[in-house]
Amino acid sequence: MRTPNPLVGEPRDALSEYANRLALAATALTSYLEQDWIGGSPDARRQGTAVTAAVVGFRRLVDDLVAVAVIYDREAGAQWDDLGAALGVTAESVRARYRQIPRSPAS
């Protein structure tokens, strides 16, 4: 389940929460692949979009984790240029995407 606002409390708590969610999602995806894809015969593989849906869910968690990390680093004093370099984009891109995310209540 995706949290509407990636920052529910303190950024450090949110980072930990999303890291745990990612670990669980990775474990679930690995388990699915081992049981139904790699270990199963082609006829026994599940039909549909289960793998795609799992990967998209994983990507959403990563996107939320990045947003929380940007908040965390901004509160620690990181500049938009530094964040852009870390993300492989321009400072303007990072600022445009993340400037509207609310900061933690403590800041």
Side-chain angles (χ1 to χ4, degrees), residues 12-41:
R12 178 177 282 194
D13 295 338
L15 285 169
S16 178
E17 168 76 18
Y18 279 103
N20 287 332
R21 288 183 189 185
L22 280 170
L24 291 172
T27 299
L29 182 58
T30 300
S31 176
Y32 173 81
L33 291 172
E34 288 173 350
Q35 292 174 9
D36 296 315
W37 189 259
I38 297 169
S41 69

PDB file of all heavy atoms in Angstrom, residues 12-41:
ATOM      1  N   ARG A  12      14.140  10.644   8.873  1.00  0.00           N
ATOM      2  CA  ARG A  12      14.893   9.426   9.211  1.00  0.00           C
ATOM      3  C   ARG A  12      13.944   8.249   9.392  1.00  0.00           C
ATOM      4  O   ARG A  12      14.222   7.148   8.920  1.00  0.00           O
ATOM      5  CB  ARG A  12      15.710   9.642  10.475  1.00  0.00           C
ATOM      6  CG  ARG A  12      16.481   8.396  10.901  1.00  0.00           C
ATOM      7  CD  ARG A  12      17.308   8.671  12.092  1.00  0.00           C
ATOM      8  NE  ARG A  12      18.468   9.392  11.600  1.00  0.00           N
ATOM      9  CZ  ARG A  12      19.571   9.591  12.287  1.00  0.00           C
ATOM     10  NH1 ARG A  12      19.666   9.150  13.505  1.00  0.00           N
ATOM     11  NH2 ARG A  12      20.577  10.232  11.766  1.00  0.00           N
ATOM     12  N   ASP A  13      12.813   8.455  10.048  1.00  0.00           N
ATOM     13  CA  ASP A  13      11.832   7.384  10.237  1.00  0.00           C
ATOM     14  C   ASP A  13      11.234   6.955   8.899  1.00  0.00           C
ATOM     15  O   ASP A  13      11.025   5.771   8.648  1.00  0.00           O
ATOM     16  CB  ASP A  13      10.710   7.834  11.172  1.00  0.00           C
ATOM     17  CG  ASP A  13      11.201   8.102  12.589  1.00  0.00           C
ATOM     18  OD1 ASP A  13      12.263   7.566  12.974  1.00  0.00           O
ATOM     19  OD2 ASP A  13      10.523   8.863  13.303  1.00  0.00           O
ATOM     20  N   ALA A  14      10.961   7.940   8.041  1.00  0.00           N
ATOM     21  CA  ALA A  14      10.401   7.634   6.728  1.00  0.00           C
ATOM     22  C   ALA A  14      11.399   6.862   5.877  1.00  0.00           C
ATOM     23  O   ALA A  14      11.034   5.915   5.171  1.00  0.00           O
ATOM     24  CB  ALA A  14       9.964   8.914   6.025  1.00  0.00           C
ATOM     25  N   LEU A  15      12.685   7.234   5.933  1.00  0.00           N
ATOM     26  CA  LEU A  15      13.715   6.493   5.199  1.00  0.00           C
ATOM     27  C   LEU A  15      13.755   5.038   5.642  1.00  0.00           C
ATOM     28  O   LEU A  15      13.811   4.121   4.817  1.00  0.00           O
ATOM     29  CB  LEU A  15      15.086   7.145   5.394  1.00  0.00           C
ATOM     30  CG  LEU A  15      15.349   8.435   4.638  1.00  0.00           C
ATOM     31  CD1 LEU A  15      16.628   9.095   5.146  1.00  0.00           C
ATOM     32  CD2 LEU A  15      15.429   8.181   3.146  1.00  0.00           C
ATOM     33  N   SER A  16      13.706   4.831   6.928  1.00  0.00           N
ATOM     34  CA  SER A  16      13.725   3.469   7.468  1.00  0.00           C
ATOM     35  C   SER A  16      12.487   2.684   7.038  1.00  0.00           C
ATOM     36  O   SER A  16      12.579   1.523   6.642  1.00  0.00           O
ATOM     37  CB  SER A  16      13.815   3.526   8.997  1.00  0.00           C
ATOM     38  OG  SER A  16      13.788   2.228   9.532  1.00  0.00           O
ATOM     39  N   GLU A  17      11.336   3.333   7.084  1.00  0.00           N
ATOM     40  CA  GLU A  17      10.073   2.705   6.683  1.00  0.00           C
ATOM     41  C   GLU A  17      10.124   2.258   5.223  1.00  0.00           C
ATOM     42  O   GLU A  17       9.777   1.127   4.885  1.00  0.00           O
ATOM     43  CB  GLU A  17       8.926   3.686   6.896  1.00  0.00           C
ATOM     44  CG  GLU A  17       7.619   3.286   6.276  1.00  0.00           C
ATOM     45  CD  GLU A  17       6.879   2.212   7.032  1.00  0.00           C
ATOM     46  OE1 GLU A  17       7.189   1.985   8.223  1.00  0.00           O
ATOM     47  OE2 GLU A  17       5.982   1.584   6.438  1.00  0.00           O
ATOM     48  N   TYR A  18      10.573   3.134   4.335  1.00  0.00           N
ATOM     49  CA  TYR A  18      10.623   2.785   2.920  1.00  0.00           C
ATOM     50  C   TYR A  18      11.700   1.749   2.630  1.00  0.00           C
ATOM     51  O   TYR A  18      11.517   0.890   1.765  1.00  0.00           O
ATOM     52  CB  TYR A  18      10.780   4.028   2.040  1.00  0.00           C
ATOM     53  CG  TYR A  18       9.456   4.694   1.830  1.00  0.00           C
ATOM     54  CD1 TYR A  18       9.107   5.833   2.517  1.00  0.00           C
ATOM     55  CD2 TYR A  18       8.509   4.143   0.966  1.00  0.00           C
ATOM     56  CE1 TYR A  18       7.864   6.430   2.352  1.00  0.00           C
ATOM     57  CE2 TYR A  18       7.273   4.734   0.794  1.00  0.00           C
ATOM     58  CZ  TYR A  18       6.960   5.875   1.491  1.00  0.00           C
ATOM     59  OH  TYR A  18       5.724   6.448   1.325  1.00  0.00           O
ATOM     60  N   ALA A  19      12.811   1.793   3.333  1.00  0.00           N
ATOM     61  CA  ALA A  19      13.841   0.769   3.149  1.00  0.00           C
ATOM     62  C   ALA A  19      13.293  -0.605   3.538  1.00  0.00           C
ATOM     63  O   ALA A  19      13.534  -1.596   2.844  1.00  0.00           O
ATOM     64  CB  ALA A  19      15.080   1.113   3.974  1.00  0.00           C
ATOM     65  N   ASN A  20      12.533  -0.650   4.615  1.00  0.00           N
ATOM     66  CA  ASN A  20      11.913  -1.920   5.030  1.00  0.00           C
ATOM     67  C   ASN A  20      10.891  -2.387   4.003  1.00  0.00           C
ATOM     68  O   ASN A  20      10.824  -3.579   3.683  1.00  0.00           O
ATOM     69  CB  ASN A  20      11.260  -1.778   6.410  1.00  0.00           C
ATOM     70  CG  ASN A  20      12.269  -1.694   7.520  1.00  0.00           C
ATOM     71  OD1 ASN A  20      13.367  -2.232   7.409  1.00  0.00           O
ATOM     72  ND2 ASN A  20      11.920  -1.002   8.587  1.00  0.00           N
ATOM     73  N   ARG A  21      10.085  -1.478   3.486  1.00  0.00           N
ATOM     74  CA  ARG A  21       9.099  -1.850   2.460  1.00  0.00           C
ATOM     75  C   ARG A  21       9.781  -2.382   1.204  1.00  0.00           C
ATOM     76  O   ARG A  21       9.311  -3.340   0.590  1.00  0.00           O
ATOM     77  CB  ARG A  21       8.228  -0.653   2.096  1.00  0.00           C
ATOM     78  CG  ARG A  21       7.246  -0.256   3.169  1.00  0.00           C
ATOM     79  CD  ARG A  21       6.398   0.884   2.688  1.00  0.00           C
ATOM     80  NE  ARG A  21       5.589   1.427   3.747  1.00  0.00           N
ATOM     81  CZ  ARG A  21       4.679   2.374   3.556  1.00  0.00           C
ATOM     82  NH1 ARG A  21       4.469   2.865   2.351  1.00  0.00           N
ATOM     83  NH2 ARG A  21       3.976   2.843   4.562  1.00  0.00           N
ATOM     84  N   LEU A  22      10.887  -1.750   0.815  1.00  0.00           N
ATOM     85  CA  LEU A  22      11.626  -2.217  -0.360  1.00  0.00           C
ATOM     86  C   LEU A  22      12.194  -3.613  -0.128  1.00  0.00           C
ATOM     87  O   LEU A  22      12.160  -4.459  -1.029  1.00  0.00           O
ATOM     88  CB  LEU A  22      12.749  -1.247  -0.705  1.00  0.00           C
ATOM     89  CG  LEU A  22      12.322  -0.008  -1.458  1.00  0.00           C
ATOM     90  CD1 LEU A  22      13.464   0.989  -1.523  1.00  0.00           C
ATOM     91  CD2 LEU A  22      11.858  -0.368  -2.852  1.00  0.00           C
ATOM     92  N   ALA A  23      12.722  -3.856   1.055  1.00  0.00           N
ATOM     93  CA  ALA A  23      13.258  -5.182   1.363  1.00  0.00           C
ATOM     94  C   ALA A  23      12.164  -6.243   1.273  1.00  0.00           C
ATOM     95  O   ALA A  23      12.377  -7.322   0.703  1.00  0.00           O
ATOM     96  CB  ALA A  23      13.897  -5.182   2.755  1.00  0.00           C
ATOM     97  N   LEU A  24      10.998  -5.946   1.808  1.00  0.00           N
ATOM     98  CA  LEU A  24       9.882  -6.891   1.728  1.00  0.00           C
ATOM     99  C   LEU A  24       9.433  -7.110   0.285  1.00  0.00           C
ATOM    100  O   LEU A  24       9.158  -8.238  -0.133  1.00  0.00           O
ATOM    101  CB  LEU A  24       8.709  -6.399   2.577  1.00  0.00           C
ATOM    102  CG  LEU A  24       8.916  -6.429   4.081  1.00  0.00           C
ATOM    103  CD1 LEU A  24       7.753  -5.723   4.796  1.00  0.00           C
ATOM    104  CD2 LEU A  24       9.050  -7.857   4.574  1.00  0.00           C
ATOM    105  N   ALA A  25       9.362  -6.033  -0.488  1.00  0.00           N
ATOM    106  CA  ALA A  25       8.948  -6.155  -1.883  1.00  0.00           C
ATOM    107  C   ALA A  25       9.969  -6.957  -2.688  1.00  0.00           C
ATOM    108  O   ALA A  25       9.598  -7.789  -3.527  1.00  0.00           O
ATOM    109  CB  ALA A  25       8.757  -4.766  -2.505  1.00  0.00           C
ATOM    110  N   ALA A  26      11.251  -6.752  -2.429  1.00  0.00           N
ATOM    111  CA  ALA A  26      12.290  -7.505  -3.130  1.00  0.00           C
ATOM    112  C   ALA A  26      12.225  -8.981  -2.766  1.00  0.00           C
ATOM    113  O   ALA A  26      12.358  -9.852  -3.632  1.00  0.00           O
ATOM    114  CB  ALA A  26      13.666  -6.935  -2.798  1.00  0.00           C
ATOM    115  N   THR A  27      11.983  -9.275  -1.508  1.00  0.00           N
ATOM    116  CA  THR A  27      11.853 -10.666  -1.067  1.00  0.00           C
ATOM    117  C   THR A  27      10.657 -11.335  -1.730  1.00  0.00           C
ATOM    118  O   THR A  27      10.744 -12.466  -2.208  1.00  0.00           O
ATOM    119  CB  THR A  27      11.725 -10.735   0.469  1.00  0.00           C
ATOM    120  OG1 THR A  27      12.915 -10.171   1.036  1.00  0.00           O
ATOM    121  CG2 THR A  27      11.555 -12.154   0.953  1.00  0.00           C
ATOM    122  N   ALA A  28       9.538 -10.630  -1.777  1.00  0.00           N
ATOM    123  CA  ALA A  28       8.333 -11.189  -2.402  1.00  0.00           C
ATOM    124  C   ALA A  28       8.548 -11.441  -3.888  1.00  0.00           C
ATOM    125  O   ALA A  28       8.158 -12.492  -4.420  1.00  0.00           O
ATOM    126  CB  ALA A  28       7.143 -10.255  -2.182  1.00  0.00           C
ATOM    127  N   LEU A  29       9.183 -10.504  -4.584  1.00  0.00           N
ATOM    128  CA  LEU A  29       9.434 -10.667  -6.010  1.00  0.00           C
ATOM    129  C   LEU A  29      10.400 -11.822  -6.264  1.00  0.00           C
ATOM    130  O   LEU A  29      10.185 -12.646  -7.149  1.00  0.00           O
ATOM    131  CB  LEU A  29       9.981  -9.367  -6.601  1.00  0.00           C
ATOM    132  CG  LEU A  29      10.247  -9.366  -8.101  1.00  0.00           C
ATOM    133  CD1 LEU A  29       8.980  -9.706  -8.892  1.00  0.00           C
ATOM    134  CD2 LEU A  29      10.804  -8.024  -8.538  1.00  0.00           C
ATOM    135  N   THR A  30      11.454 -11.908  -5.457  1.00  0.00           N
ATOM    136  CA  THR A  30      12.413 -13.000  -5.598  1.00  0.00           C
ATOM    137  C   THR A  30      11.736 -14.343  -5.366  1.00  0.00           C
ATOM    138  O   THR A  30      11.947 -15.300  -6.119  1.00  0.00           O
ATOM    139  CB  THR A  30      13.583 -12.818  -4.611  1.00  0.00           C
ATOM    140  OG1 THR A  30      14.229 -11.574  -4.894  1.00  0.00           O
ATOM    141  CG2 THR A  30      14.581 -13.947  -4.713  1.00  0.00           C
ATOM    142  N   SER A  31      10.908 -14.416  -4.347  1.00  0.00           N
ATOM    143  CA  SER A  31      10.182 -15.649  -4.048  1.00  0.00           C
ATOM    144  C   SER A  31       9.279 -16.049  -5.204  1.00  0.00           C
ATOM    145  O   SER A  31       9.232 -17.219  -5.612  1.00  0.00           O
ATOM    146  CB  SER A  31       9.359 -15.464  -2.771  1.00  0.00           C
ATOM    147  OG  SER A  31       8.590 -16.612  -2.523  1.00  0.00           O
ATOM    148  N   TYR A  32       8.570 -15.081  -5.752  1.00  0.00           N
ATOM    149  CA  TYR A  32       7.694 -15.358  -6.889  1.00  0.00           C
ATOM    150  C   TYR A  32       8.497 -15.912  -8.063  1.00  0.00           C
ATOM    151  O   TYR A  32       8.133 -16.905  -8.675  1.00  0.00           O
ATOM    152  CB  TYR A  32       6.956 -14.094  -7.317  1.00  0.00           C
ATOM    153  CG  TYR A  32       6.158 -14.287  -8.584  1.00  0.00           C
ATOM    154  CD1 TYR A  32       4.907 -14.897  -8.543  1.00  0.00           C
ATOM    155  CD2 TYR A  32       6.675 -13.912  -9.808  1.00  0.00           C
ATOM    156  CE1 TYR A  32       4.189 -15.108  -9.707  1.00  0.00           C
ATOM    157  CE2 TYR A  32       5.965 -14.110 -10.972  1.00  0.00           C
ATOM    158  CZ  TYR A  32       4.723 -14.713 -10.926  1.00  0.00           C
ATOM    159  OH  TYR A  32       4.023 -14.927 -12.069  1.00  0.00           O
ATOM    160  N   LEU A  33       9.611 -15.266  -8.366  1.00  0.00           N
ATOM    161  CA  LEU A  33      10.426 -15.695  -9.500  1.00  0.00           C
ATOM    162  C   LEU A  33      10.993 -17.094  -9.281  1.00  0.00           C
ATOM    163  O   LEU A  33      11.010 -17.916 -10.195  1.00  0.00           O
ATOM    164  CB  LEU A  33      11.551 -14.696  -9.757  1.00  0.00           C
ATOM    165  CG  LEU A  33      11.111 -13.341 -10.287  1.00  0.00           C
ATOM    166  CD1 LEU A  33      12.278 -12.373 -10.323  1.00  0.00           C
ATOM    167  CD2 LEU A  33      10.464 -13.463 -11.654  1.00  0.00           C
ATOM    168  N   GLU A  34      11.451 -17.369  -8.075  1.00  0.00           N
ATOM    169  CA  GLU A  34      12.011 -18.690  -7.783  1.00  0.00           C
ATOM    170  C   GLU A  34      10.958 -19.787  -7.861  1.00  0.00           C
ATOM    171  O   GLU A  34      11.206 -20.858  -8.401  1.00  0.00           O
ATOM    172  CB  GLU A  34      12.661 -18.693  -6.402  1.00  0.00           C
ATOM    173  CG  GLU A  34      13.952 -17.911  -6.354  1.00  0.00           C
ATOM    174  CD  GLU A  34      14.495 -17.765  -4.956  1.00  0.00           C
ATOM    175  OE1 GLU A  34      13.789 -18.105  -3.977  1.00  0.00           O
ATOM    176  OE2 GLU A  34      15.638 -17.294  -4.833  1.00  0.00           O
ATOM    177  N   GLN A  35       9.775 -19.530  -7.362  1.00  0.00           N
ATOM    178  CA  GLN A  35       8.726 -20.550  -7.311  1.00  0.00           C
ATOM    179  C   GLN A  35       8.013 -20.730  -8.637  1.00  0.00           C
ATOM    180  O   GLN A  35       7.776 -21.843  -9.067  1.00  0.00           O
ATOM    181  CB  GLN A  35       7.686 -20.195  -6.245  1.00  0.00           C
ATOM    182  CG  GLN A  35       8.218 -20.269  -4.845  1.00  0.00           C
ATOM    183  CD  GLN A  35       7.203 -19.760  -3.841  1.00  0.00           C
ATOM    184  OE1 GLN A  35       6.062 -19.505  -4.179  1.00  0.00           O
ATOM    185  NE2 GLN A  35       7.628 -19.615  -2.599  1.00  0.00           N
ATOM    186  N   ASP A  36       7.646 -19.648  -9.262  1.00  0.00           N
ATOM    187  CA  ASP A  36       6.747 -19.733 -10.406  1.00  0.00           C
ATOM    188  C   ASP A  36       7.393 -19.487 -11.754  1.00  0.00           C
ATOM    189  O   ASP A  36       6.830 -19.862 -12.769  1.00  0.00           O
ATOM    190  CB  ASP A  36       5.586 -18.750 -10.235  1.00  0.00           C
ATOM    191  CG  ASP A  36       4.745 -19.112  -9.029  1.00  0.00           C
ATOM    192  OD1 ASP A  36       4.443 -20.295  -8.858  1.00  0.00           O
ATOM    193  OD2 ASP A  36       4.418 -18.198  -8.267  1.00  0.00           O
ATOM    194  N   TRP A  37       8.516 -18.855 -11.775  1.00  0.00           N
ATOM    195  CA  TRP A  37       9.105 -18.522 -13.062  1.00  0.00           C
ATOM    196  C   TRP A  37      10.333 -19.382 -13.329  1.00  0.00           C
ATOM    197  O   TRP A  37      10.361 -20.159 -14.266  1.00  0.00           O
ATOM    198  CB  TRP A  37       9.482 -17.038 -13.099  1.00  0.00           C
ATOM    199  CG  TRP A  37       9.902 -16.601 -14.466  1.00  0.00           C
ATOM    200  CD1 TRP A  37      11.172 -16.429 -14.893  1.00  0.00           C
ATOM    201  CD2 TRP A  37       9.057 -16.302 -15.574  1.00  0.00           C
ATOM    202  NE1 TRP A  37      11.178 -16.041 -16.197  1.00  0.00           N
ATOM    203  CE2 TRP A  37       9.882 -15.951 -16.647  1.00  0.00           C
ATOM    204  CE3 TRP A  37       7.686 -16.309 -15.774  1.00  0.00           C
ATOM    205  CZ2 TRP A  37       9.403 -15.598 -17.893  1.00  0.00           C
ATOM    206  CZ3 TRP A  37       7.203 -15.952 -17.014  1.00  0.00           C
ATOM    207  CH2 TRP A  37       8.043 -15.605 -18.056  1.00  0.00           C
ATOM    208  N   ILE A  38      11.312 -19.275 -12.474  1.00  0.00           N
ATOM    209  CA  ILE A  38      12.555 -20.008 -12.684  1.00  0.00           C
ATOM    210  C   ILE A  38      12.364 -21.493 -12.426  1.00  0.00           C
ATOM    211  O   ILE A  38      12.775 -22.321 -13.231  1.00  0.00           O
ATOM    212  CB  ILE A  38      13.675 -19.427 -11.789  1.00  0.00           C
ATOM    213  CG1 ILE A  38      13.948 -17.975 -12.192  1.00  0.00           C
ATOM    214  CG2 ILE A  38      14.941 -20.261 -11.882  1.00  0.00           C
ATOM    215  CD1 ILE A  38      14.826 -17.199 -11.243  1.00  0.00           C
ATOM    216  N   GLY A  39      11.712 -21.828 -11.324  1.00  0.00           N
ATOM    217  CA  GLY A  39      11.565 -23.230 -10.951  1.00  0.00           C
ATOM    218  C   GLY A  39      10.429 -23.948 -11.646  1.00  0.00           C
ATOM    219  O   GLY A  39      10.404 -25.181 -11.695  1.00  0.00           O
ATOM    220  N   GLY A  40       9.497 -23.216 -12.204  1.00  0.00           N
ATOM    221  CA  GLY A  40       8.340 -23.850 -12.826  1.00  0.00           C
ATOM    222  C   GLY A  40       8.538 -24.099 -14.308  1.00  0.00           C
ATOM    223  O   GLY A  40       9.404 -23.509 -14.939  1.00  0.00           O
ATOM    224  N   SER A  41       7.750 -25.001 -14.834  1.00  0.00           N
ATOM    225  CA  SER A  41       7.798 -25.229 -16.272  1.00  0.00           C
ATOM    226  C   SER A  41       7.076 -24.085 -16.969  1.00  0.00           C
ATOM    227  O   SER A  41       6.283 -23.377 -16.349  1.00  0.00           O
ATOM    228  CB  SER A  41       7.111 -26.550 -16.607  1.00  0.00           C
ATOM    229  OG  SER A  41       5.727 -26.442 -16.376  1.00  0.00           O
TER     230      SER A  41
END
